[in-house]
Amino acid sequence: MHFRISILFLLFSVQLFGQDYALKEAQIRDGYNTYLLSSSAFVDKDRFVWYATNRDGDFYRFDGKNKLRYQFYKNENSYGDSFYICNNAWIQDHKNNIWAAELDKAYIITPDKLLVERIQYPSEKLSSKSFIAKDEVNNLWISNGSRFLIKITPDRQVIRVTHPLLNDKNEIEIIKVLDNGRIIAKSGYNIFYVDTKGIHFSANIHTIDKAINSEFAIFENGKIVAENSSGYYKYNNSSYKYVYLKELNIQLFNYPYEENCLLGNCNWSNSTLIADSKFLVTDNSSLFINQIDKKTNQITTTDTLHFKKQISIANNKLHSNFIWISAYDELYKLLIIPNNFKRILQSDDKQYSTRGIVSDSKNNLYIGTYEGLYKQENNKKPVPFLVKGEKNGAYDILILEKNDSILWGSQEYSSLKKINLTTHTKKEIGLPKGFKIEYMKEKSPDELWMGSNKGMYVFSKKTETISPFNENGYFLGTVPVLGFIEAKDGKKWFATRQGLFLKEKGKDFINYQKLNPTFNFKDLLTLHEDDRGNLWMSTGAKGIIFLDPKTNRFKNLTQSDGLSNNTVCGILESKEAMWFSTYYGLTRFDKKEGFFALYYKEDGLSDNEFNVRSSYKKDENTFYFGGLNGIIEFNPANIKLRGKHPHTIFLYSSTYFSNERNKNVTDYLSLHKKTISLPYNKNYFSAVFSINELFYIEKNTYLYKIEGLRNEWIDAGTSGLVELPSLPPGDYVLRVKGKDAKGIETLNEIKINLHVEQIFYKTPFFIILIALLVIGSIIYFFFRRNRRQKRIFEREKEIKELKSSALRAQMNPHFVFNILNNMQSVLILKGEAEANKYFGAFSKLFRQTLDISRQELITLKSEIEYLNNYLLLNNLQLNDELEYSVNVQNSVGDTSTIFLPGMLIQPFVENAILHGLSPKQDKKLTIDFSMEEGYLVVIVEDNGIGRTMATENTLHKKEAHKSWATTIVNERINIMNYRHNTTKAVILKIDDLEKNGNPCGTRVTLKLQQPME
């Protein structure tokens, strides 16, 4: 039947005749683009579309929603008249440049540079047709209405190439580039082929078959009719001649001329496309869609589309079922729906929701629906199977007995029917109230397995009763059972609402989760055991579960892994793959490679939504899945596989502020892997992306992630626009990917490096500079303060030392004063002899005093020697009444290595003699030296009258003697302790000694800190 459809009735999308194809208008015209198309569309390797306008040298690249203009003439007034560029006058070279060939020139477009160049060549202009082709070494060959071809080398040298047979008035015309890359040309009845060496004559058609007219068409051998054959083909039931040319492995066809030339003067070679057994032919403003039958060599027009203007068609060879149709003012896209899937039980005015599917030994197919039972005989159209007493009965699960005479079927899962297929009669079998059949399978010739909402049951065909499944006294209970498998190893597995249950021989039923605690899946719908003994389970919302019972290893496969939908209805297995019907699409899972391929209505399915338990495997070559709109039948080996990621994402444009150009700029197509540097106060960036899935482009979605700022993927919607309005300072990587209408991610990601400058006072350089200034200021402040404090300290030290020296100096006159008083007494009381002896001791002591007064520290040895001389002198004065001793303990060690301040001990010895011992008859004085915890301990002890009585005696004297020595010593001790901040350098302690409550002397303890070794 030949349908004629006017494009006037087509708006933006149409699906016709069993969903064999879909048509949409591509929105290329807007208020900024009013130019008419002046070319056929050209589809490049990335599947984007190029077209020329009616202004010479003016081209557009169209990615489905964005148009990018390429201009040769920059001056608007320089445009000339445009030459129509047909579909064969476009080509993409080995460098991805786009060529558009006219009769005397070609434009070369470099896409990523927005550059259009022009190259000119000679032309005889014997016709208005041009054709460009590429040979195996990337030479370009152009036919341009001349008796020669133009050869353009990869370095763009222009060479005229001819042949001795090209000397008449007939031009040479390239008419076909075969799938193997061979270039075929003709001139009149002569056929040539072109290669890197030039033009070669092949044959004259009249010498082969004079029935072939001069306007013949060429196709690859076996592309339209039977391979390696010559004869006649039928076009709409009329016969036309074709011949096989072995040398070039091609077939030549006469045009199907009818009255008034049904197809006009169309050139089949240049205005036809073959897509998925569909043969598309353009004629002026019409597109003829034909069906090819190679077995009968017949071409039948099934549909015709009529447009308002003359059209041409183009496609990408790798995606031949996606056709672009260009008219003078519009661009359309046509998708040929693949016929890999045979759609059964289809109707234009009604949908049949199918459930059970079975076949008998004669290959008759029985289909259960909610509209009744249907039967398909010998691949004919299914017809209702009439059952006496039943009208539009509902059927769910079907079980056909091996004798092909009895069919068991559940009705809405709540009752059971027994259909006699021979007599067309039925018997309804009652089930307990509330009992619902979820699963049925033949157990034996006399019994059926029956999973229900109340557990696992067995149905007896003889007694037509049900009983709970009992094995060795064990029952499953009332767990709802939706699937069951008796595995190859004898184990029984049950898919239930409460999870997976296992029954082993001699053991009770057990929830598998108890054996494998991490297996926490419930709501299992179906079960399947594959050829290796692994289990596959479908779920109501969690996708597919794979389980290896031998290792207890399992894996959950969901939409995020590539499954079409997480509600899986049915499972079938082919040699190479697992097939899953879902609530949205059909999924093929490759068992070896582990990747998913997805199929939807646009791939030939009758509907995207399938029904649970509506799947059937008749044999290895015939699979069935049922859904809301009939069932599909297919041979899994014949299904074309698509890659895991069939589409690619591209950058269309990016907008940002350029520091180099000091303005907002828009870059197109590529950023050349550079880092975009943004000022801190112009920190915005936007980019537009596109996916090369151009038919359902409005359903493509985009996601982006900003590494360095946010780690999660952000949904950018369907526009392809990603805007980053206010990025904080830092370094980022913008990652963008896409998903097509089926949710399949793109093969690649786009990565853009972004750097946002820091405000000057937050830049590392400025911060370091400020830090250095602050640190320098602090250092300068502390340095200056330390210098000032050092000077203060040094001055204080000088003052203290001067004061200490002065105090020592005060000791000398004090000491001399006391000695001279004693000498006066000796001269008066003891005579000259004693005085001479006294003077000798005095002179020796006086020299020592002078030496000591000049030194800050003296050795303990010198101090002991000085004290002995002082005690000797005082003993002479006291008529040898003084009993004294100077003792050095072993803890002291070498007295020459221990230092102490000079004349520090002598004042205490003097006070002991003068105030404590003088009034007494029995005079004893001891001086002990020892070391204790880093201190030199000096103990001066006397048996005098004590400090209290000595003070009273002093007060009763007429001329009281003030003891300057004690005052001076205390001041010296304070000075020495001032120099040590943490510990005392000198510790002084004076104890009054008593015996029976009476004073019996004084003990002075002096501790002098020694330096650490």
Side-chain angles (χ1 to χ4, degrees):
M1 185 175 181
H2 183 188
F3 297 93
R4 301 174 67 88
I5 306 300
S6 174
I7 198 64
L8 295 174
F9 298 102
L10 299 176
L11 296 177
F12 296 108
S13 175
V14 64
Q15 294 184 334
L16 303 174
F17 312 118
Q19 300 169 334
D20 287 334
Y21 59 87
L23 179 71
K24 290 185 178 184
E25 180 182 346
Q27 301 299 307
I28 62 169
R29 298 176 63 80
D30 52 38
Y32 301 98
N33 179 9
T34 59
Y35 305 123
L36 298 177
L37 272 71
S38 182
S39 75
S40 171
F42 172 71
V43 186
D44 66 17
K45 294 177 181 177
D46 294 325
R47 287 182 271 164
F48 295 130
V49 180
W50 295 80
Y51 60 89
T53 72
N54 58 346
R55 303 183 67 134
D56 191 29
D58 193 33
F59 303 92
Y60 281 88
R61 172 189 180 270
F62 181 57
D63 64 11
K65 57 182 179 177
N66 305 297
K67 300 180 296 294
L68 188 57
R69 191 176 187 182
Y70 293 78
Q71 298 170 275
F72 178 74
Y73 297 100
K74 303 305 178 184
N75 187 339
E76 290 290 329
N77 298 321
S78 300
Y79 286 96
D81 293 332
S82 174
F83 175 84
Y84 186 84
I85 303 172
C86 66
N87 57 340
N88 293 311
W90 294 91
I91 201 169
Q92 188 169 13
D93 66 17
H94 65 292
K95 294 182 179 179
N96 290 327
N97 296 321
I98 308 297
W99 292 66
E102 299 183 6
L103 290 181
D104 57 356
K105 61 183 177 289
Y107 290 100
I108 306 107
I109 306 167
T110 305
D112 58 348
K113 295 181 180 179
L114 299 181
L115 177 66
V116 180
E117 301 171 276
R118 187 175 69 183
I119 189 169
Q120 293 184 302
Y121 40 78
S123 173
E124 295 179 330
K125 298 184 179 180
L126 299 177
S127 70
S128 60
K129 294 181 291 186
S130 62
F131 196 121
I132 186 169
K134 181 175 63 175
D135 65 22
E136 58 186 9
V137 296
N138 297 313
N139 294 311
L140 297 180
W141 295 83
I142 300 173
S143 62
N144 62 345
S146 303
R147 288 169 293 182
F148 52 81
L149 296 180
I150 300 298
K151 175 183 176 183
I152 301 178
T153 63
D155 58 356
R156 297 189 183 177
Q157 294 184 41
V158 177
I159 303 172
R160 285 176 45 163
V161 181
T162 187
H163 188 275
L165 295 178
L166 300 174
N167 55 9
D168 57 16
K169 60 181 180 180
N170 291 324
E171 63 174 305
I172 181 171
E173 174 189 3
I174 298 175
I175 60 172
K176 191 73 175 177
V177 178
L178 302 180
D179 291 342
N180 60 13
R182 174 169 280 187
I183 302 170
I184 307 297
K186 75 169 186 174
S187 177
Y189 287 98
N190 292 327
I191 295 180
F192 300 86
Y193 67 91
V194 181
D195 60 19
T196 57
K197 297 179 180 179
I199 304 172
H200 308 277
F201 174 75
S202 175
N204 183 283
I205 300 304
H206 266 186
T207 63
I208 300 174
D209 193 326
K210 291 184 178 182
I212 300 296
N213 56 51
S214 61
E215 296 297 324
F216 55 83
I218 294 177
F219 290 97
E220 288 85 350
N221 182 25
K223 199 73 172 267
I224 293 180
V225 294
E227 193 174 7
N228 302 332
S229 66
S230 296
Y232 290 89
Y233 72 95
K234 286 186 178 181
Y235 182 78
N236 291 332
N237 297 320
S238 297
S239 297
Y240 302 93
K241 182 73 175 180
Y242 76 93
V243 296
Y244 170 56
L245 189 59
K246 184 176 181 181
E247 180 184 1
L248 298 179
N249 196 30
I250 59 177
Q251 289 170 320
L252 287 69
F253 295 79
N254 271 341
Y255 284 131
Y257 286 98
E258 295 180 359
E259 185 179 356
N260 297 324
C261 183
L262 175 63
L263 298 181
N265 58 356
C266 65
N267 184 335
W268 265 25
S269 299
N270 298 332
S271 54
T272 60
L273 289 174
I274 298 176
D276 197 51
S277 78
K278 295 289 192 301
F279 183 47
L280 285 78
V281 182
T282 62
D283 172 32
N284 199 5
S285 61
S286 297
L287 174 63
F288 298 92
I289 301 176
N290 307 282
Q291 186 68 41
I292 300 172
D293 187 347
K294 295 181 184 179
K295 295 180 180 179
T296 62
N297 286 350
Q298 185 161 333
I299 302 173
T300 305
T301 301
T302 57
D303 303 317
T304 304
L305 297 179
H306 296 287
F307 296 81
K308 293 183 292 184
K309 300 288 180 65
Q310 182 176 346
I311 63 169
S312 62
I313 55 177
N315 68 351
N316 181 300
K317 289 185 177 180
L318 298 178
H319 301 82
S320 59
N321 63 324
F322 189 175
I323 315 297
W324 289 91
I325 306 169
S326 58
Y328 275 108
D329 55 354
E330 301 294 350
L331 186 64
Y332 299 91
K333 45 190 178 181
L334 178 70
L335 183 66
I336 304 298
I337 305 299
N339 59 2
N340 296 321
F341 301 98
K342 181 179 179 181
R343 298 184 290 269
I344 302 174
L345 205 58
Q346 302 290 292
S347 173
D348 293 336
D349 56 357
K350 190 175 184 180
Q351 288 190 345
Y352 294 89
S353 180
T354 59
R355 302 291 168 166
I357 308 169
V358 293
S359 65
D360 61 19
S361 58
K362 298 178 181 179
N363 287 327
N364 296 315
L365 196 67
Y366 292 91
I367 307 167
T369 78
Y370 280 0
E371 303 293 331
L373 184 64
Y374 282 79
K375 180 180 181 181
Q376 182 190 44
E377 295 184 355
N378 299 321
N379 293 321
K380 296 178 182 178
K381 184 178 179 179
V383 295
F385 184 86
L386 300 178
V387 178
K388 295 177 182 179
E390 181 178 75
K391 184 179 181 180
N392 297 330
Y395 288 82
D396 291 304
I397 306 171
L398 298 181
I399 302 295
L400 181 63
E401 293 189 359
K402 292 182 179 180
N403 58 14
D404 291 345
S405 62
I406 301 298
L407 178 70
W408 298 89
S410 64
Q411 177 173 325
E412 296 181 341
Y413 303 106
S414 59
S415 64
L416 187 64
K417 300 177 182 180
K418 180 180 180 182
I419 308 297
N420 188 313
L421 299 178
T422 304
T423 62
H424 289 244
T425 58
K426 72 171 183 177
K427 180 180 182 181
E428 293 191 5
I429 300 170
L431 297 173
K433 185 177 181 180
F435 189 90
K436 182 179 179 180
I437 302 173
E438 301 279 7
Y439 170 84
M440 280 201 310
K441 183 180 180 180
E442 192 164 46
K443 183 176 186 291
S444 68
D446 296 326
E447 293 178 315
L448 295 177
W449 290 108
M450 189 174 288
S452 76
N453 61 330
K454 297 183 180 296
M456 192 66 182
Y457 281 75
V458 175
F459 175 76
S460 172
K461 298 178 184 179
K462 291 183 178 180
T463 63
E464 297 181 349
T465 58
I466 60 170
S467 58
F469 171 57
N470 174 2
E471 185 176 272
N472 300 325
Y474 297 112
F475 297 88
L476 178 60
T478 58
V479 178
V481 177
L482 287 83
F484 166 73
I485 280 179
E486 188 168 6
K488 299 179 180 69
D489 58 5
K491 295 179 181 178
K492 295 180 176 64
W493 297 89
F494 302 85
T496 79
R497 298 285 184 189
Q498 298 179 16
L500 181 65
F501 280 76
L502 170 64
K503 175 67 178 71
E504 296 183 80
K505 189 175 182 180
K507 296 182 180 180
D508 197 358
F509 293 84
I510 186 172
N511 191 323
Y512 179 72
Q513 188 177 3
K514 294 183 179 180
L515 302 177
N516 192 348
T518 57
F519 189 91
N520 58 348
F521 299 96
K522 301 183 185 302
D523 194 23
L524 305 181
L525 301 182
T526 60
L527 266 175
H528 175 82
E529 183 183 26
D530 67 19
D531 54 5
R532 295 187 177 182
N534 301 310
L535 296 183
W536 297 81
M537 288 154 273
S538 68
T539 70
K542 292 188 176 181
I544 282 288
I545 305 164
F546 165 86
L547 173 64
D548 183 349
K550 300 181 184 66
T551 63
N552 289 327
R553 180 179 65 89
F554 69 89
K555 184 174 179 62
N556 185 205
L557 303 173
T558 65
Q559 280 182 261
S560 61
D561 299 300
L563 194 66
S564 61
N565 188 268
N566 284 337
T567 300
V568 180
C569 305
I571 304 174
L572 295 179
E573 181 182 7
S574 64
K575 183 178 180 181
E576 297 178 345
M578 304 297 300
W579 296 82
F580 310 120
S581 60
T582 75
Y583 269 12
Y584 194 80
L586 179 67
T587 301
R588 179 192 187 275
F589 178 74
D590 191 282
K591 293 190 290 186
K592 183 178 180 181
E593 301 296 333
F595 73 87
F596 290 92
L598 309 182
Y599 304 90
Y600 299 89
K601 286 180 67 174
E602 55 264 33
D603 300 303
L605 302 184
S606 57
D607 197 273
N608 284 331
E609 184 173 345
F610 291 91
N611 288 326
V612 178
R613 290 178 292 278
S614 185
S615 58
Y616 179 65
K617 179 180 178 179
K618 185 167 73 172
D619 53 48
E620 291 296 330
N621 299 320
T622 313
F623 284 17
Y624 297 93
F625 284 105
L628 296 185
N629 187 19
I631 64 176
I632 57 169
E633 174 189 333
F634 64 95
N635 183 343
N638 294 339
I639 300 298
K640 294 180 180 179
L641 291 179
R642 294 178 309 199
K644 186 176 182 181
H645 304 283
H647 305 299
T648 307
I649 187 171
F650 295 85
L651 173 66
Y652 170 70
S653 67
S654 56
T655 302
Y656 58 94
F657 184 88
S658 171
N659 281 325
E660 298 174 357
R661 289 174 270 184
N662 195 32
K663 64 178 182 179
N664 287 331
V665 299
T666 299
D667 287 333
Y668 290 96
L669 302 185
S670 175
L671 291 174
H672 304 290
K673 299 183 180 179
K674 66 181 180 181
T675 297
I676 304 299
S677 183
L678 305 175
Y680 72 90
N681 58 341
K682 293 181 174 62
N683 52 345
Y684 51 83
F685 178 85
S686 67
V688 178
F689 301 87
S690 58
I691 300 174
N692 60 357
E693 201 297 305
L694 304 190
F695 197 84
Y696 296 102
I697 194 164
E698 68 280 356
K699 297 182 181 180
N700 294 336
T701 57
Y702 299 83
L703 300 99
Y704 70 95
K705 177 193 292 188
I706 310 172
E707 288 185 353
L709 186 64
R710 300 180 67 175
N711 292 324
E712 69 274 11
W713 286 100
I714 303 168
D715 188 352
T718 60
S719 68
L721 174 63
V722 174
E723 292 183 294
L724 309 177
S726 184
L727 285 171
D731 293 311
Y732 309 100
V733 178
L734 173 63
R735 295 171 55 189
V736 184
K737 64 181 180 180
K739 291 183 178 180
D740 64 13
K742 301 175 183 178
I744 304 175
E745 289 189 0
T746 52
L747 174 66
N748 65 320
E749 289 182 8
I750 301 292
K751 295 184 179 181
I752 301 174
N753 296 314
L754 300 174
H755 170 73
V756 181
E757 298 172 354
Q758 184 60 269
I759 191 170
F760 77 95
Y761 58 78
K762 291 184 179 181
T763 59
F765 174 78
F766 186 84
I767 292 173
I768 292 172
L769 179 62
I770 294 299
L772 290 175
L773 289 174
V774 171
I775 293 171
S777 300
I778 293 172
I779 292 173
Y780 175 75
F781 170 76
F782 280 104
F783 178 74
R784 188 175 180 186
R785 195 179 101 176
N786 288 342
R787 284 186 61 188
R788 186 170 66 251
Q789 289 187 344
K790 186 177 181 182
R791 287 197 300 268
I792 294 172
F793 177 77
E794 289 176 347
R795 288 175 183 174
E796 288 180 350
K797 182 178 179 182
E798 290 175 1
I799 292 171
K800 297 297 182 182
E801 288 179 351
L802 290 173
K803 186 174 181 180
S804 179
S805 298
L807 291 172
R808 290 198 306 271
Q810 290 179 30
M811 295 295 294
N812 292 336
H814 170 77
F815 174 73
V816 172
F817 172 77
N818 289 336
I819 293 299
L820 290 178
N821 281 337
N822 290 338
M823 287 176 60
Q824 183 181 11
S825 300
V826 171
L827 285 172
I828 296 173
L829 300 174
K830 296 188 179 182
E832 184 178 353
E834 288 296 327
N836 288 334
K837 185 178 178 181
Y838 192 87
F839 274 123
F842 169 71
S843 62
K844 185 175 181 181
L845 185 62
F846 191 67
R847 283 195 301 274
Q848 285 182 315
T849 302
L850 291 176
D851 291 337
I852 290 173
S853 64
R854 293 188 181 94
Q855 302 177 47
E856 177 72 20
L857 298 174
I858 63 173
T859 63
L860 178 59
K861 181 178 179 182
S862 298
E863 180 69 17
I864 293 172
E865 183 180 351
Y866 175 76
L867 290 174
N868 280 324
N869 287 329
Y870 178 75
L871 290 170
L872 175 62
L873 190 63
N874 277 277
N875 196 27
L876 288 174
Q877 180 188 1
L878 297 173
N879 299 319
D880 293 326
E881 293 178 0
L882 179 62
E883 183 181 342
Y884 66 89
S885 64
V886 180
N887 305 313
V888 181
Q889 303 298 326
N890 293 333
S891 60
V892 174
D894 188 359
T895 57
S896 62
T897 61
I898 298 176
F899 293 85
L900 69 163
M903 301 187 73
L904 188 62
I905 302 174
Q906 183 271 336
F908 298 105
V909 176
E910 177 186 334
N911 282 342
I913 295 172
L914 181 62
H915 301 292
L917 296 175
S918 294
K920 288 192 67 173
Q921 295 295 325
D922 180 21
K923 303 176 178 65
K924 293 182 180 180
L925 179 68
T926 60
I927 304 174
D928 288 326
F929 294 93
S930 63
M931 291 295 293
E932 181 181 316
E933 297 180 353
Y935 282 88
L936 174 64
V937 181
V938 183
I939 299 176
V940 180
E941 186 175 330
D942 64 71
N943 63 344
I945 61 175
R947 287 189 297 168
T948 302
M949 189 173 291
T951 302
E952 291 177 358
N953 290 342
T954 301
L955 293 175
H956 290 96
K957 288 184 179 181
K958 293 180 180 180
E959 296 182 5
H961 171 74
K962 183 168 182 160
S963 178
W964 289 104
T966 303
T967 303
I968 294 171
V969 167
N970 286 331
E971 290 187 17
R972 289 183 67 193
I973 289 173
N974 290 335
I975 292 172
M976 286 186 282
N977 284 335
Y978 176 79
R979 296 172 184 170
H980 294 73
N981 295 326
T982 56
T983 59
K984 289 186 176 182
V986 181
I987 301 173
L988 174 63
K989 182 181 180 185
I990 302 176
D991 298 317
D992 293 319
L993 303 178
E994 294 182 354
K995 186 175 182 182
N996 299 324
N998 298 316
C1000 63
T1002 304
R1003 180 187 295 125
V1004 177
T1005 303
L1006 190 66
K1007 293 184 178 182
L1008 304 171
Q1009 189 178 36
Q1010 297 298 301
M1012 299 293 292
E1013 296 183 0

